Amino acid sequence: MEILDVLTDMAKTGRLGPVFSGAEWNDVTAALGEPWDIGTMSRNRRWPRLFAYGDLELSVCRCRKVSLVCVQTWRDVVELPPSLVGGTGTFPAGLKHADIVSALDKASCPWEPYPPLTFGDQCSLVAIPTKANFTFEIPEGEEPVLNVMGLPGNGHDT
């Protein structure tokens, strides 16, 4: 599987295997094992916490549900759990805006520009079926490069 296939499928379905907004944390760890514990998202509380499986980052609320899913793509390579994506789980980064748009169009996944996250040296688009967001950095004089892809939260916040 290629990284464009992974991201396009996430944009169409709102999930990557057992990982989706609202998933039970026990189900995720049963399928993927223990993640890296990045830490709390607040100085004053233990929850919500941020966890990672390589470049797949998950915010988990205190009632142990996944509340946010994103794939960091700004590094040199993108590492995802091999059990979910096959092979080594390692992919080249540096995905261009045109690559993402082409992959979404090829997969019949409608999208539109996302003005709230388009300003300065970044632009953004949203996949209509799931509201998955693709945010790009625009290096000076170059084509936009994917920085992060995220699935929206499900509104659950405890």
Side-chain angles (χ1 to χ4, degrees), residues 69-115:
V69 177
C70 71
V71 177
Q72 300 293 341
T73 60
W74 56 268
R75 297 174 179 94
D76 292 334
V77 296
V78 178
E79 295 181 17
L80 299 173
S83 62
L84 298 181
V85 297
T88 64
T90 302
F91 304 95
L95 298 168
K96 305 289 189 201
H97 187 274
D99 298 329
I100 298 295
V101 166
S102 177
L104 292 172
D105 289 346
K106 182 179 175 184
S108 299
C109 182
W111 61 273
E112 62 189 11
Y114 189 64

Side-chain angles (χ1 to χ4, degrees), residues 20-146:
F20 58 93
S21 293
E24 295 287 338
W25 186 234
N26 286 340
D27 294 343
V28 172
T29 58
L32 300 179
E34 290 301 315
W36 300 334
D37 186 347
I38 306 296
T40 64
M41 296 177 66
S42 166
R43 283 191 239 178
N44 303 326
R45 299 186 306 201
R46 287 183 33 94
W47 295 92
R49 295 189 74 79
L50 186 62
F51 295 96
Y53 292 95
D55 292 308
L56 175 64
E57 294 183 357
L58 311 171
S59 175
V60 179
C61 67
R62 70 176 174 206
C63 67
R64 309 310 191 270
K65 289 189 184 287
V66 174
S67 57
L68 186 68
V69 177
C70 71
V71 177
Q72 300 293 341
T73 60
W74 56 268
R75 297 174 179 94
D76 292 334
V77 296
V78 178
E79 295 181 17
L80 299 173
S83 62
L84 298 181
V85 297
T88 64
T90 302
F91 304 95
L95 298 168
K96 305 289 189 201
H97 187 274
D99 298 329
I100 298 295
V101 166
S102 177
L104 292 172
D105 289 346
K106 182 179 175 184
S108 299
C109 182
W111 61 273
E112 62 189 11
Y114 189 64
L117 290 178
T118 299
F119 52 83
D121 63 352
Q122 77 175 35
C123 64
S124 185
L125 64 85
V126 64
I128 294 169
T130 60
K131 303 295 184 225
N133 180 269
F134 294 81
T135 300
F136 302 82
E137 175 186 4
I138 308 172
E140 190 172 329
E142 296 181 37
E143 184 180 355
V145 178
L146 187 63

